[in-house]
Amino acid sequence: MKKIGIIGAGLGGLTAGALLSQKGYEVEVFEKEGLVGGRALTLDGNDLTLQEYKNILHRFDMWMPYSKPSLEEIFEKNMLDGYRLDLGFHLLGYARDVSLTKILNEEGIEPDYSYSKFGVISPKGEVIQDFNNSLRLRDKLRLLPLLVRFSFRTDAMISKTEKTPISETIDKYCGGLIKDALGTSARFISTVNDLDKISTAEVLEVLRRWGGEAEPTGYPRDGSGTLAEGLAEIIKKNGGKVNLGREVDKILIDGGEAKGVIVDGEEKKLDIVISNLPVQDLFEIAPEEHFPDAYVDKLVNLKGSGSVCAYYALEHLDEDVLRKPIAFREKNLGVDGDHASGIIDFQTVKPEMNMSPEGEYLVQAYIICTPEEAKDKGTVRKLIKALDKNMEILVPGFRDDLKFAIYPTIYHLDGVAKTIDNEKPTSNTPVKDLYMVGDCIKSFGIGMNCAVDSAVQLSEQL
Ligand SMILES: Cc1cc2nc3c(=O)[nH]c(=O)nc-3n(C[C@H](O)[C@H](O)[C@H](O)COP(=O)(O)OP(=O)(O)OC[C@H]3O[C@@H](n4cnc5c(N)ncnc54)[C@H](O)[C@@H]3O)c2cc1C
């Protein structure tokens, strides 16, 4: 049976490993970190040192612009004991139905999700508990013809709507709260604030597939890293290997074909090599001379997306506080697209989610920005203020009960942002037997869903 080497134990790499090991391939995964999950990993606050935390943030294109108290004090006083932290805010879109859940369920692994509807902070600062049900029928009916036409879409309509900015579609078909709602959904669907850059086809496709879903998000008990652990279990069950702390130095290519990898100076012969690296980093281990110049140029210039995250650890929280994600939009921030959307998620405060010590509460939040904005101190400060302002609306006086607040900031949230001008590559590369998976690859959805679905597509092809 053919030997497949997978570089990276992110959700893309692990899904490919799980599905291909099920097909009978001999699978070996090489991961440079000491744990699985990649950007969707979960850190155990009990075991973490300040230096390890700083290192891991750095290795995943992140930084900590601000925290309260200082990170040094948080670690000196062991304030993270009993907490679990993802690298930053995570929610799985349409968790009930997505490929990731199905793959795990088919192998008898049942992630213990908290499913939820969205609430929203209206432009007037009111908290609307049930976003979908607060939309007016009249406004829904105005949008309906477009959704119906899209359901029976022709190739011509798809290619037209692919290049049509969602801002144009909103102006044409939306009124009332739907106008606001579609703008906000489009931002979450793409992790981009500028509606002029978001493709109408992308947004409509997500709405078409998931329009009726009552609880469109999920968060797994013990953190998003458990999803990766489930996939790694499947690989091992099928006789595959998941090697941690093993960095691939080079992909061996000869005569236009991938032949293996070099790991820790050791040569491994392989029939197929699958890279789970962000595509912009591929040529750090795959020598550029084996690829056409135009291909290299295209990949290294693709842009990701960013965000400022927040973790608020509270020593008190009223029992009747919302136990769901609440979306907000902050106007006139002067960022790309001017307005910025974000979510403050209270699912992680539920004691059964196991994210914080007993009697303490972890709230996770994020606000979307571009990679450049995530690196700019002044913009990050404005975005932190916006997060705190909306947190104050939801939990008035939260600062009085704050144990700590940290703001991990990422300038590579989505490998490649889903914008009209940023076309993702497919899994196939110009080198024979070298493939790519992950959230940089053209497939359905964004983030974790995109990473997983890219691997589903590849495993169907191999
Ligand atoms: C702060 C933050 C918030 C996010 N929020 C959400 C969200 O709410 N919802 C959502 O769906 N998505 C979210 N995402 C995005 C989501 O985490 C990613 O899209 C997804 O996890 C990417 O998976 P991947 O398989 O493409 O790659 P990665 O997770 O990046 O995996 C690549 C792996 O390759 C390893 N690697 C790299 N180089 C080598 C080498 N030379 N040798 C061996 N191993 C190597 C890396 O260590 C890593 O483990 C968020 C991401 C971040 C960082």
Side-chain angles (χ1 to χ4, degrees), residues 163 197 331:
K163 297 283 170 208
K197 293 184 181 156
K331 287 202 229 161

Side-chain angles (χ1 to χ4, degrees), residues 182-210:
L182 194 60
T184 301
S185 308
R187 290 188 176 97
F188 293 139
I189 286 167
S190 58
T191 326
V192 169
N193 281 319
D194 187 351
L195 300 182
D196 291 341
K197 293 184 181 156
I198 303 171
S199 147
T200 293
E202 188 61 39
V203 177
L204 293 185
E205 180 59 17
V206 173
L207 295 181
R208 184 185 74 83
R209 287 212 207 176
W210 307 111

Side-chain angles (χ1 to χ4, degrees), residues 226-281:
T226 55
L227 302 171
E229 284 159 19
L231 293 169
E233 243 179 72
I234 299 175
I235 297 173
K236 289 180 207 158
K237 196 174 112 186
N238 292 320
K241 285 192 199 147
V242 180
N243 302 292
L244 298 180
R246 301 209 64 194
E247 180 164 357
V248 170
D249 304 318
K250 193 175 178 186
I251 299 175
L252 297 167
I253 301 169
D254 188 23
E257 288 180 32
K259 299 286 186 189
V261 293
I262 296 185
V263 194
D264 300 331
E266 187 193 336
E267 199 175 307
K268 292 247 168 198
K269 287 213 164 70
L270 297 162
D271 298 303
I272 293 172
V273 177
I274 300 176
S275 165
N276 184 206
L277 272 62
V279 291
Q280 299 89 340
D281 299 344

Side-chain angles (χ1 to χ4, degrees), residues 144-444:
L144 196 62
L146 179 67
L147 292 179
V148 172
R149 266 181 49 220
F150 196 75
S151 297
F152 299 100
R153 61 204 183 285
T154 56
D155 288 348
M157 183 185 182
I158 292 176
S159 61
K160 190 167 164 227
T161 49
E162 262 170 6
K163 297 283 170 208
T164 309
I166 192 69
S167 48
E168 258 180 45
T169 308
I170 290 176
D171 285 345
K172 209 164 161 188
Y173 293 96
C174 299
L177 203 53
I178 283 258
K179 196 169 180 150
D180 221 47
L182 194 60
T184 301
S185 308
R187 290 188 176 97
F188 293 139
I189 286 167
S190 58
T191 326
V192 169
N193 281 319
D194 187 351
L195 300 182
D196 291 341
K197 293 184 181 156
I198 303 171
S199 147
T200 293
E202 188 61 39
V203 177
L204 293 185
E205 180 59 17
V206 173
L207 295 181
R208 184 185 74 83
R209 287 212 207 176
W210 307 111
E213 172 67 68
E215 293 176 316
T217 67
Y219 189 79
R221 179 190 156 94
D222 295 334
S224 57
T226 55
L227 302 171
E229 284 159 19
L231 293 169
E233 243 179 72
I234 299 175
I235 297 173
K236 289 180 207 158
K237 196 174 112 186
N238 292 320
K241 285 192 199 147
V242 180
N243 302 292
L244 298 180
R246 301 209 64 194
E247 180 164 357
V248 170
D249 304 318
K250 193 175 178 186
I251 299 175
L252 297 167
I253 301 169
D254 188 23
E257 288 180 32
K259 299 286 186 189
V261 293
I262 296 185
V263 194
D264 300 331
E266 187 193 336
E267 199 175 307
K268 292 247 168 198
K269 287 213 164 70
L270 297 162
D271 298 303
I272 293 172
V273 177
I274 300 176
S275 165
N276 184 206
L277 272 62
V279 291
Q280 299 89 340
D281 299 344
L282 177 68
F283 307 107
E284 288 172 13
I285 56 169
E288 271 181 40
E289 69 256 26
H290 299 291
F291 300 82
D293 291 347
Y295 185 78
V296 176
D297 263 12
K298 185 187 159 179
L299 259 52
V300 298
N301 286 314
L302 288 168
K303 295 237 174 340
S305 63
S307 78
V308 178
C309 304
Y311 283 115
Y312 301 102
L314 302 173
E315 290 177 309
H316 176 262
L317 192 66
D318 282 342
E319 280 304 309
D320 60 356
V321 79
L322 299 158
R323 298 289 202 252
K324 58 170 61 163
I326 311 287
F328 66 87
R329 179 166 61 99
E330 199 55 34
K331 287 202 229 161
N332 309 322
L333 269 179
V335 292
D336 191 43
D338 203 20
H339 308 330
S341 288
I343 298 176
I344 300 180
D345 179 25
F346 290 86
Q347 291 182 95
T348 44
V349 307
K350 297 179 184 174
E352 67 272 23
M353 298 305 284
N354 218 14
M355 300 303 287
S356 52
E358 207 181 327
E360 297 183 21
Y361 303 91
L362 185 71
V363 179
Q364 61 165 351
Y366 87 123
I367 186 164
I368 296 167
C369 63
T370 65
E372 292 72 27
E373 287 162 356
K375 290 179 196 168
D376 179 71
K377 270 191 181 158
T379 310
V380 169
R381 209 174 298 130
K382 278 196 279 185
L383 295 166
I384 288 178
K385 270 191 176 174
L387 283 163
D388 286 357
K389 178 186 147 194
N390 285 280
M391 180 66 180
E392 181 66 33
I393 293 173
L394 296 168
V395 187
F398 80 91
R399 288 178 182 83
D400 297 342
D401 293 315
L402 196 62
K403 181 175 180 181
F404 65 82
I406 54 177
Y407 299 88
T409 296
I410 170 115
Y411 43 94
H412 211 143
L413 189 153
D414 279 297
V416 174
K418 277 208 162 166
T419 54
I420 291 176
D421 54 352
N422 213 14
E423 202 196 339
K424 294 188 177 193
T426 65
S427 283
N428 298 324
T429 74
V431 170
K432 188 170 174 284
D433 295 328
L434 173 64
Y435 300 93
M436 303 182 292
V437 289
D439 66 354
C440 299
I441 305 303
K442 198 177 168 91
S443 66
F444 177 68

Side-chain angles (χ1 to χ4, degrees), residues 6-14 30-33 35-41 60 62 87-93 246-249 276-278 281 285 307 309 366 408-410 412-415 437-440 446-452 454:
I6 298 175
I7 310 165
L11 289 174
L14 290 171
F30 304 100
E31 168 55 52
K32 72 178 160 79
E33 299 297 332
L35 71 179
V36 294
R39 275 169 282 156
L41 59 76
F60 281 99
M62 298 180 74
L87 275 180
F89 175 102
H90 272 83
L91 273 186
L92 182 62
R246 301 209 64 194
E247 180 164 357
V248 170
D249 304 318
N276 184 206
L277 272 62
D281 299 344
I285 56 169
S307 78
C309 304
Y366 87 123
T409 296
I410 170 115
H412 211 143
L413 189 153
D414 279 297
V437 289
D439 66 354
C440 299
I446 56 156
M448 297 190 276
N449 284 331
C450 182
V452 168
S454 71

Side-chain angles (χ1 to χ4, degrees), residues 33-76:
E33 299 297 332
L35 71 179
V36 294
R39 275 169 282 156
L41 59 76
T42 301
L43 298 164
D44 180 348
N46 296 317
D47 296 342
L48 197 62
T49 65
L50 173 59
Q51 199 49 50
E52 281 165 359
Y53 191 37
K54 282 187 173 170
N55 287 348
I56 205 151
L57 290 179
H58 178 69
R59 288 202 295 270
F60 281 99
D61 293 339
M62 298 180 74
W63 66 301
M64 186 70 71
Y66 176 67
S67 70
K68 192 178 164 32
S70 68
L71 267 191
E72 283 71 19
E73 190 176 336
I74 290 176
F75 277 87
E76 262 163 34

